[in-house]
Amino acid sequence: MLRCTKKSIAPRLSSLFSNPGTPAASKIPTLPSESRDGYCPIPDLRCSVKGLSLISLRFRGVKTPNFVWSPNCSLIREYCSSSGGRASGEWTEEIEYLDESGSVIYSGKGVRSVEPGQDDHVLVGGIRKPMLNASAIAKLVEVVRRWKWGPDLETQMDNLQFVPNMSHVVEALRVLKESDASLSLFRWAKRQPWYVHDEECYALLFNGLNQGRDFDGIRALFDEMIATTNDSGGVASSAACNRVIQYLARAEKLEVAFCCFKEVRDLGWKVDAQTYNALITLFLNRGLPYKAFEIYESMEATGSSLDASTFELMIPCLAKSGRLDAALKLFQEMKLRSFRPSYNVFAALVDSMGKAGRLDTSMKVYAELPSFGLRPSTTMYVSLIESFVKAGKLETAMNIWEDMKKAGLRPNFALYTTIIESHAKSGKRDIAMSAFMDMEKAGFLPTPSTYSCLLEMNAASGNIDAAMKLYNSMTNAGLKPGLSTCTALLILLANKKLVDVAAKILLEMKVMGFSVDVSASDVLMVYIKEGSVDLALRWLQFMGSSGIRTNNFIIRQLFESCMKNGLYEAAKPLLETYVDSAAKVDLILYTSILAYLVRCQDEEKERQLMSILGATKHKAHNFLCGLFTGTEQRKQPVLSFVREFFQGIDYELEEGAARYFVNVLLNYLVLMGQINRARCVWKVAYENKLFPKAIVFDQHIAWSLDVRNLSVGAALVAVVHTLHRFRKRMLYYGVIPRRIKLVTGPTLKIVVAQMLSSVESPFEVSKVVLRAPGDSVMEWFKKPIVQQFLLNEIPSRSDILMHKLNMLFPSSAPEIRSLSPPKPLIRRAA
């Protein structure tokens, strides 16, 4: 405990802060350092004063003010700058420092305080001591940390015992870490008359706000800085502005960063390359490459130099976005400026050029890798090979494949798959199978797609053993073949006529959950097209037993195949199935069955064919049956019956079918000796314009009949009926043309000529036409035998007629059918 006794208290207290350089000062105990609240405690001082008892006092403060003793025992503070008090501004008393025993250990003049905000020094005795920068900075930091913000801080800052400057503020901001405290100090300093705009001050504030992730505060301070600069007409801090934009961009504050960038750019202030890079990176990361390109173009317009990082960012981005020429231009510029491109730049260019089909450029960039000390990776090899495969350049792809293996790189799963599938689809079986074996040795499990390509390739080439081996390997590996793969295998088995194996595969497909109706029908069509009717019927039976259905089109195709091969017993159940499934037997199908009946030469088969005709349930069959009955049963004449049937035909849809039906029906009627009925059918068919160009009247010049598009029976009936019409017109009306022509074509020429030669016709036979002058024909028509011929009969030789029928409708039985000549009908048909 220090005890001090002297004339006044204040001088003794102030001597505590006298010059420590004196010898006695070394005996004073060292005072503790400043505490958190800006004051430091000092030891209790027991001061003895006249007329007073001992008083224990505790004083705090780094600088102890001067005090004067008043008569009423009060302490009055005196400043060195004060005009009142002592004129000299110095204390005359000295302070003695006593130890516990009362011995004086030191005495000297005290240190007086300064007036806040006006003095920039302290007086130590009679000597002015300047305030050290370190002390001023420490005091600023101490006060700000103590009071943080608010009116209390303002008061304490106003009562500082020295006048700070901007260097003190900047250094204090370096020490302060709390952004709120730093901003409080900064805003207090801005209101002081000694404030000067300082770039570093803003930079420190932005750093603090960024560390505290206070981006709203950064934006607010940025706006304040811009406004202050504009108001004062000063120069903005480019470094601080760029730092703000970089902070916001790295924090992915896209809108705010871009807003600040535009504001700085519009004001004409400089934006550095690092800021451009940060913005470009931000837009690229946010999936906005075209906005990044705008930033890049703005960067070029300002003349900012690109750095290596800008090249590294922009080249891959331009390449991947399809702007390949711009990417190449930057790539060349990067090399001219002696920047070393990274592997990512090469990889992006090689990949993008390859995918765009610019294979030559891709290979040139690839060839530059060794000159920069870089080696292609597996990914780059894969990209190159895939590009050449997609372009169809498999040889170049295989060369790169070999280079990759020579470089010691192991092809990955995707690359094996690409090589195998591309060569399999191209039909290069040896290369595909070799790569497939290498893939298995490398430990990769092929995908179902790879298996399918290989299996379908072998199926297309007819390699049944390899295809079945691949199929078994695939199923044993637990992989499920696709529908197309199973169908290809089924078709292969069908072509090889392995019905049992195909049935097994089809049942496995059904177990796998595939809809097998279509696949089974495809196999059935294979047998039908090949003419393997027995196998087709066997396969159809298997389908029925397995609950697999087919469509009516295939049933009809199989029925027609059975009819063509004379399997009438098997054909009838097919037709009944076809009819029972609500399928409609059209006139063409019915006519085709009738055509088989025309060619038939076996009575047993005739009965089968008639049964098949009845199974069609077509209205034409009722017409055919009614045509052969008598007038009493029909209850109407033949001509009316025929006209009624042909009126029910939809000629817009069935004109061709009706024409086909007339040709076959007339063949059948002629063979059966029903000449007059045949003439009725021809007459009605001509009336309904089924053969509109058959008969042509060219006034008095030429009359002609064209039978080139008719069957043999229809041609014979048409010739007789038409000559009968010509006879009536010439005899009754007296119209005689210069000539009459019968256009037969080479096929029917002989048949028609032989028929007319039996009655000594005047027609001369040329290449495809029978001609005669009108006068000669007129004389020929007057003969009674010709009248009888034209009215009642068609004398013909059955062997010639059947020969022509077999030529037009070939039959499996080459024997000539024995058919007696048709009986002459004296009267017209009723």
Side-chain angles (χ1 to χ4, degrees), residues 62 67-68 91 112 217 290 313 351 360 383 399 405 517 589 617 635 649 656 704 740:
V62 176
F67 290 90
V68 179
W91 288 318
R112 291 174 294 172
Y290 289 96
L313 286 170
D351 183 65
D360 294 338
S383 176
N399 292 335
K405 292 195 289 187
D517 293 348
L589 182 59
K617 299 180 181 180
K635 298 180 181 180
I649 296 176
S704 64
I740 295 177

Side-chain angles (χ1 to χ4, degrees), residues 350-403:
V350 169
D351 183 65
S352 300
M353 294 292 174
K355 289 179 178 177
R358 299 173 65 171
L359 302 179
D360 294 338
T361 307
S362 179
M363 286 299 292
K364 287 180 181 178
V365 176
Y366 162 75
E368 292 186 37
L369 274 170
S371 61
F372 289 91
L374 301 173
R375 294 181 58 190
S377 66
T378 303
T379 306
M380 184 176 290
Y381 277 117
V382 170
S383 176
L384 277 172
I385 293 173
E386 287 180 349
S387 298
F388 280 97
V389 165
K390 290 178 181 178
K393 299 183 177 182
L394 299 183
E395 293 183 2
T396 308
M398 286 305 297
N399 292 335
I400 300 174
W401 166 275
E402 295 299 331
D403 292 342

Side-chain angles (χ1 to χ4, degrees), residues 214-289:
D214 185 5
F215 301 107
D216 293 335
I218 290 179
R219 178 58 195 271
L221 184 61
F222 174 81
D223 292 340
E224 181 181 334
M225 179 181 70
I226 296 297
T228 302
T229 305
N230 290 337
D231 293 341
S232 62
V235 179
S237 171
S238 297
C241 293
N242 282 279
R243 190 168 297 187
V244 168
I245 299 171
Q246 292 171 28
Y247 288 155
L248 294 173
R250 289 166 187 166
E252 297 188 355
K253 303 293 182 180
L254 189 146
E255 293 82 2
V256 181
F258 187 66
C259 247
C260 294
F261 166 74
K262 285 184 64 179
E263 191 170 352
V264 171
R265 187 184 60 184
D266 293 343
L267 290 173
W269 298 337
K270 184 179 179 181
V271 180
D272 59 23
Q274 191 175 1
T275 302
Y276 278 116
N277 287 333
L279 285 172
I280 291 171
T281 304
L282 172 62
F283 281 107
L284 294 180
N285 292 338
R286 295 289 289 271
L288 299 169

Side-chain angles (χ1 to χ4, degrees), residues 413 417 436 439-440 442-448 450-451 473-474 477-479:
F413 172 79
T417 302
F436 176 73
M439 183 179 186
E440 288 186 323
F444 294 118
L445 176 65
T447 63
T450 305
Y451 273 115
S473 174
M474 187 176 185
L479 300 177

Side-chain angles (χ1 to χ4, degrees), residues 686 692-699 702-706 726:
Y686 183 76
K693 297 181 181 180
I695 301 174
V696 177
F697 294 100
D698 189 4
Q699 299 298 328
W703 295 350
S704 64
L705 170 66
D706 191 345
F726 288 173

Side-chain angles (χ1 to χ4, degrees), residues 403-460:
D403 292 342
M404 178 181 179
K405 292 195 289 187
K406 289 178 182 178
L409 297 176
R410 179 187 179 191
N412 58 18
F413 172 79
L415 193 54
Y416 272 117
T417 302
T418 300
I419 290 294
I420 294 170
E421 293 185 4
S422 61
H423 285 83
K425 292 176 181 177
S426 300
K428 298 184 177 182
R429 181 178 177 277
D430 295 337
I431 298 177
M433 292 302 295
S434 175
F436 176 73
M437 295 175 63
D438 292 341
M439 183 179 186
E440 288 186 323
K441 290 179 182 177
F444 294 118
L445 176 65
T447 63
S449 174
T450 305
Y451 273 115
S452 298
C453 288
L454 292 172
L455 199 154
E456 292 173 14
M457 176 190 66
N458 284 284

